[in-house]
């Protein structure tokens, strides 16, 4: 009777996005442009909010933190992905894999709660405009941001601990381009029940609680917008809400497509495509959406560009 090898792996290898060198070169150039636009877009949004007095409001305060999270969020995955597209072997150490997953999971959790906080901000602004200043104080905004980071990083500790306490003693090939739960669980040669329970609990808790807040907020917001008498007022309210709603929808749809589907080898490509979208593309889209659809942000950006060109 053979004895199963129980030696814990110390190095993982990614399968990556493609084995075709020409396709890999094309993807490298594409995602390099995406990453550069993401960095400049989010840094630009943070700078615009900080230096423009007209944007010193709770909505833009939360938006600046969303941009900061997006900046770090994409930087956890994209640089390694770019490096691997030009490498023969796509290696990462066990510790490197755990750190990558930890920060990825923490920042993803933080993002969903900041998006949830932004929905609450829009609810107060539109449904209770007379009390907006007294409700959305600097202390309240700081509390929402702090809570988002605390919940995001604490839940990541639990998920990372349960995932990397598993034994990986057979293949070390991760069929993905970064360290994530589904491909790592498939590699494990130990009991995964505890890890699965912990993962499902925190994914459902964070996802459903933030999504419920967003849905409830907009269920109350939309009738309030329709009751606004002024056409300009309705347009302005819809503009700020639609920007946030588009960002939240894109993020949640990409996450659902990546994680919530039947287990099948034919869906692995879809999983990678969805993962690319919410790890690399979504952080790029958020500042672009707010810049194009929000008049105040657009005017502030144009003023800054004019000043810098003079």
């Amino acid at each position: 009777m053979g004895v199963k090898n129980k030696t814990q792996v110390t190095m993982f290898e990614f399968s990556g996005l493609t084995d075709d060198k020409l396709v890999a070169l094309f993807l490298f150039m594409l995602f390099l442009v995406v990453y550069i636009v993401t960095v400049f877009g989010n840094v630009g949004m943070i700078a615009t909010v900080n230096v423009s007095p007209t944007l010193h409001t709770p909505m833009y305060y939360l938006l600046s933190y969303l941009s900061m999270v997006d900046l770090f969020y994409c930087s956890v995955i994209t640089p390694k992905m770019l490096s691997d597209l030009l490498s023969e072997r796509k290696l990462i150490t066990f510790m490197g894999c755990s750190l990558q997953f930890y920060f990825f999971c923490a920042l993803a959790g933080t993002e969903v709660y900041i998006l949830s906080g932004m929905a609450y901000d829009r609810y107060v602004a539109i449904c209770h405009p007379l009390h907006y200043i007294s409700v959305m104080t600097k202390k309240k905004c700081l509390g929402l941001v702090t809570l988002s980071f605390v919940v995001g990083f604490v839940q990541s500790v639990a998920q990372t601990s349960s995932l990397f306490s598993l034994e990986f003693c057979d293949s070390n090939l991760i069929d993905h381009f970064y360290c994530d739960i589904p491909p790592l669980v498939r590699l494990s040669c130990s009991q995964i029940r505890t890890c699965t329970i912990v993962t499902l609990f925190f994914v459902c808790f964070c996802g459903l609680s933030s999504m419920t807040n967003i849905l409830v907020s907009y269920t109350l917001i939309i009738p309030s917008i329709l009751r606004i008498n002024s056409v300009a007022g309705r347009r302005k309210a819809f503009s700020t809400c639609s920007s946030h709603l588009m960002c939240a929808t894109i993020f949640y749809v990409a996450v659902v497509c990546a994680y919530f589907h039947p287990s099948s080898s034919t869906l692995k490509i879809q999983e990678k495509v969805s993962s690319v979208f919410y790890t690399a593309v979504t952080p790029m889209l958020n500042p672009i959406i707010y810049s194009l659809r929000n008049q105040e942000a657009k005017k502030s950006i144009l003023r800054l560009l004019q000043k810098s060109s003079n």
Side-chain angles (χ1 to χ4, degrees):
M1 182 175 176
V3 179
K4 189 175 182 179
N5 181 17
K6 288 289 183 180
T7 304
Q8 178 81 342
V9 300
T10 58
M11 190 78 68
F12 291 109
E13 183 173 1
F14 296 124
S15 64
L17 291 171
T18 181
D19 293 324
D20 189 308
K21 290 186 177 181
L22 288 177
V23 175
L25 182 60
F26 169 76
L27 291 177
F28 173 82
M29 298 302 296
L30 174 63
F31 291 123
L32 178 61
V33 172
V34 168
Y35 184 59
I36 291 172
V37 172
T38 301
V39 171
F40 277 96
N42 285 290
V43 170
M45 181 59 72
I46 295 169
T48 301
V49 171
N50 286 328
V51 303
S52 301
T54 57
L55 300 185
H56 290 175
T57 61
M59 182 180 76
Y60 290 103
Y61 176 84
L62 294 173
L63 177 59
S64 66
Y65 275 98
L66 179 67
S67 292
M68 185 181 73
V69 170
D70 280 334
L71 180 62
F72 290 122
Y73 177 68
C74 70
S75 296
V76 171
I77 305 295
T78 308
K80 173 62 177 169
M81 178 182 70
L82 290 172
S83 173
D84 287 344
L85 283 169
L86 300 181
S87 303
E88 288 292 331
R89 298 192 67 189
K90 306 162 181 60
L91 300 173
I92 188 170
T93 63
F94 185 90
M95 181 58 70
C97 189
S98 61
L99 287 173
Q100 185 188 63
F101 175 78
Y102 171 73
F103 285 106
F104 164 72
C105 183
L107 292 167
T110 303
E111 174 137 348
V112 298
Y113 280 108
I114 290 181
L115 287 170
S116 178
M118 293 173 75
Y120 174 73
D121 168 77
R122 291 299 82 205
Y123 160 73
V124 177
I126 293 169
C127 298
H128 303 283
L130 298 179
H131 302 286
Y132 182 64
I133 295 176
S134 61
V135 173
M136 294 303 295
T137 60
K138 289 184 177 180
K139 186 176 180 180
K140 173 70 73 65
C141 293
L142 179 61
L144 288 172
V145 171
T146 302
L147 180 64
S148 299
F149 275 93
V150 169
V151 175
F153 278 79
V154 168
Q155 62 88 27
S156 185
V157 169
Q159 291 203 61
T160 305
S161 299
S162 64
L163 179 60
F164 287 91
S165 63
L166 298 175
E167 292 181 349
F168 304 95
C169 48
D170 293 324
S171 172
N172 70 336
L173 180 63
I174 299 175
D175 191 14
H176 215 341
F177 62 92
Y178 69 97
C179 295
D180 200 7
I181 294 172
L184 282 166
V185 167
R186 288 195 289 265
L187 281 185
S188 177
C189 57
S190 59
Q191 176 59 249
I192 64 170
R193 182 180 179 183
T194 300
C195 178
T196 302
I197 292 172
V198 170
T199 299
L200 284 175
F201 172 77
F202 282 106
V203 168
C204 291
F205 175 78
C206 295
L208 292 177
S209 60
S210 59
M211 193 182 297
T212 299
N213 183 66
I214 292 172
L215 292 175
V216 170
S217 296
Y218 279 101
T219 300
L220 299 171
I221 286 170
I222 292 173
S224 296
I225 292 177
L226 296 176
R227 286 195 295 267
I228 297 175
N229 294 325
S230 167
V231 174
R234 284 200 302 271
R235 186 181 295 114
K236 182 179 179 180
F238 181 75
S239 175
T240 58
C241 289
S242 63
S243 299
H244 170 262
L245 196 56
M246 284 176 66
C247 292
T249 301
I250 290 169
F251 184 83
Y252 279 109
V253 168
V255 170
V256 168
C257 290
Y259 292 104
F260 297 95
H261 55 68
S263 179
S264 171
S265 58
T266 59
L267 293 172
K268 288 180 181 178
I269 295 177
Q270 176 190 315
E271 183 180 318
K272 289 183 181 182
V273 171
S274 300
S275 297
V276 165
F277 199 82
Y278 79 82
T279 57
V281 179
T282 300
M284 177 189 71
L285 292 178
N286 287 345
I288 293 175
I289 290 171
Y290 270 93
S291 300
L292 294 178
R293 295 192 61 84
N294 193 287
Q295 293 300 319
E296 289 180 2
K298 192 187 297 184
K299 290 176 183 177
S300 296
I301 291 170
L302 290 174
R303 281 197 296 268
L304 286 177
L305 291 174
Q306 289 172 354
K307 287 181 180 179
S308 62
S309 62
N310 293 335

